[in-house]
Amino acid sequence: MSASEAGSTASSIAADAVARLSSVPLSWRHKAVPAAANGTTAGDFVHARHTLAELQTPLLTLDARALESNADRLAAWCAEQGVRLAPHGKTTMAPQLWAEQLERGAWGITLANYAQLRVAREFGVRRLQLANSLTDPHAIEWVASVVGPEQTIVSWVDSVATVELIGSTLEAAGSRAVLDVLVELGAHGGRTGARGIEAALEVARAAAVSPHVRLVGVSGYEGSLAHTADADALAAVRGYLGQMLRLHERLLADGLYGSDELIVTAGGSAYFDDVVDVLSPCITEGDGAGNGKGKRVELLIRSGAYIIHDDGFYRVISPFSRHGGKPFSSAMHGWARVVSQPEPGLALLDAGKRDLPVDEGLPRPQLIGPALGGPMSPLEGAEITAVNDQHSFLSFDPATTTVRLGDVVRLGLSHPCTAFDKWTLIPVLADTDGDQTVVDLIHTFF
């Protein structure tokens, strides 16, 4: 494994597999496209330059300009900071977007489970990080069968039992494979991860003597410890990251690493600046300077939501928003139509939990107009008060706001991770606020 190999898009993902998505025939399975498109391919649909006005509600769309800007912004920032990006692919499960991230220099793609690894493998992503422990015997055996010079898969371990399970599973299968692992440090009240440095060292010692795992770094997730950016939240995040750094230093001092090329990784889309600020001292070039002791150490952040961003949770908490720099732009919008006005000040829209994310805040009304793809006006003073499976409740002041049956509402959304999983196909508009030509169709694989 080479943690530092950047590679081109062609060598990082199978460009031909991604390109074949343009040949997928459209049908009733794709709720984002009209019935008139049945039988045409995704590529032909895009080539025909359809517009938003030809689609229907409920609908989720992406914005090409925002996607490109967001991808460029974080890639440039990582280059400036001297860190690498291994974006969490579970946010989109969209190989077309993974390719864009890899093209901009991403180390590889991070994923969360066995099924997601198989998707990435199918699309030829050569460097994968499983931000989780391998405990399913089928997953352990599969990873062992595919890793090699052309396929890197690094997983996490947070207990001695996990190390032993990997070993016993491979022994029973008659496999001689050695799997690369990162020891995961957790924190009280957090998610997974060994609880404390001493517990993590025990895991590392077990890995060091196991014939089936090789310890190549330290991992963690600070996002489970805080959900805001106030002083207390940031102190908790930074304190935890400091523990990660100390763990790495102990592993170096005790000679527990099994490789000269190491990874230290943390960082979602909310606190990646703190991750780099606290953990950057671990970065070395393998010349024996600093804490590296002759080993090459790279810092990987795993931000996944950034390429889509949102108009809710991440809009507020993103470091680029908090620190007054150039912020990310929301690249996703929901579109819903008024299907009922049962009483004054209440309208029911035709989009619900099956279509739009609600776990990090309800959709926010932005604009309203008489037709999808037509002129729209700001929808001020209105809010979504509740969401059912297939409906949203739009509350408004009938004295100041006019809402008619059949009107279309554009919605700002929060949390791309739970937006994408509701759509197998997502139209990309050239510019949501301008040229609303469909310039791509993004395929997802949840």
Side-chain angles (χ1 to χ4, degrees):
M1 178 192 70
S2 174
S4 61
E5 181 185 357
S8 65
T9 302
S11 64
S12 299
I13 191 170
D16 57 340
V18 176
R20 282 197 296 271
L21 292 173
S22 66
S23 300
V24 172
L26 303 180
S27 71
W28 52 267
R29 296 182 300 110
H30 304 109
K31 66 178 182 178
V33 295
N38 287 359
T40 63
T41 67
D44 287 341
F45 186 88
V46 171
H47 183 72
R49 298 189 63 78
H50 293 282
T51 66
L52 176 63
E54 298 172 74
L55 306 180
Q56 67 281 305
T57 59
L59 183 63
L60 177 74
T61 63
L62 302 177
D63 185 300
R65 292 183 63 180
L67 288 171
E68 182 177 6
S69 174
N70 293 344
D72 288 344
R73 178 76 176 92
L74 192 58
W77 187 85
C78 287
E80 292 166 3
Q81 301 296 320
V83 302
R84 301 296 299 279
L85 174 64
H88 213 320
K90 59 90 178 172
T91 296
T92 65
M93 288 305 295
Q96 292 154 284
L97 297 180
W98 298 348
E100 293 294 324
Q101 294 167 310
L102 291 164
E103 185 178 59
R104 288 165 172 80
W107 170 88
I109 299 296
T110 300
L111 295 164
N113 59 38
Y114 174 32
Q116 293 173 7
L117 287 178
R118 291 175 63 194
V119 172
R121 169 76 175 175
E122 182 67 23
F123 282 90
V125 182
R126 291 186 57 191
R127 288 185 296 277
L128 299 170
Q129 175 179 202
L130 178 68
N132 218 330
S133 294
L134 285 168
T135 58
D136 184 313
H138 298 294
I140 295 170
E141 293 177 16
W142 181 84
V143 170
S145 73
V146 301
V147 292
E150 299 300 315
Q151 181 69 73
T152 294
I153 299 179
V154 183
S155 65
W156 298 3
V157 291
D158 70 353
S159 70
V160 172
T162 306
V163 174
E164 293 175 342
L165 178 60
I166 292 173
S168 62
T169 300
L170 294 180
E171 287 289 338
S175 172
R176 301 177 64 182
V178 179
L179 306 188
D180 287 341
V181 298
L182 310 176
V183 61
E184 180 190 2
L185 181 67
H188 181 71
R191 200 167 61 186
T192 53
R195 294 308 199 245
I197 290 177
E198 292 305 319
L201 287 170
E202 287 298 314
V203 179
R205 293 185 188 108
V209 298
S210 170
H212 286 292
V213 302
R214 181 173 66 147
L215 185 62
V216 299
V218 172
S219 62
Y221 178 53
E222 75 293 339
S224 64
L225 302 178
H227 211 64
T228 63
D230 58 34
D232 289 343
L234 293 178
V237 166
R238 294 178 68 87
Y240 166 73
L241 295 170
Q243 291 288 307
M244 282 188 64
L245 181 59
R246 285 187 282 278
L247 171 61
H248 169 64
E249 292 168 346
R250 284 288 303 274
L251 294 172
L252 284 171
D254 293 354
L256 292 173
Y257 282 128
S259 173
D260 289 334
E261 297 191 8
L262 306 176
I263 293 169
V264 175
T265 178
S269 295
Y271 307 107
F272 57 80
D273 58 332
D274 294 287
V275 169
V276 172
D277 185 45
V278 176
L279 293 180
S280 58
C282 73
I283 301 172
T284 65
E285 295 299 325
D287 58 2
N291 293 322
K293 297 187 177 180
K295 297 184 183 295
R296 181 181 182 89
V297 185
E298 285 201 317
L299 177 58
L300 304 184
I301 63 172
R302 305 187 306 274
S303 309
Y306 79 97
I307 192 170
I308 308 300
H309 201 50
D310 67 12
D311 282 310
F313 175 70
Y314 287 112
R315 179 180 64 84
V316 174
I317 204 169
S318 168
F320 293 159
S321 299
R322 288 189 275 118
H323 299 319
K326 178 185 177 184
F328 293 125
S329 301
S330 179
M332 66 175 181
H333 295 89
W335 308 83
R337 196 178 302 273
V338 177
V339 293
S340 177
Q341 272 195 280
E343 57 191 69
L346 174 65
L348 278 297
L349 309 182
D350 64 354
K353 296 176 184 177
R354 306 292 189 188
D355 313 295
L356 306 174
V358 298
D359 61 313
E360 289 287 357
L362 297 177
R364 301 181 180 188
Q366 295 178 333
L367 303 172
I368 190 170
L372 186 65
M376 305 193 89
S377 303
L379 185 52
E380 299 175 352
E383 65 175 327
I384 301 296
T385 58
V387 178
N388 294 157
D389 282 356
Q390 309 291 173
H391 295 93
S392 294
F393 291 69
L394 177 70
S395 175
F396 61 95
D397 183 355
T400 58
T401 302
T402 300
V403 176
R404 298 182 176 87
L405 196 70
D407 279 355
V408 174
V409 177
R410 193 183 89 179
L411 299 162
L413 307 175
S414 181
H415 203 199
C417 299
T418 49
F420 271 58
D421 64 348
K422 296 165 177 57
W423 297 85
T424 57
L425 197 70
I426 307 174
V428 182
L429 307 180
D431 181 357
T432 304
D433 292 317
D435 179 4
Q436 295 179 332
T437 301
V438 176
V439 295
D440 206 353
L441 293 172
I442 297 298
H443 300 253
T444 68
F445 297 87
F446 286 92

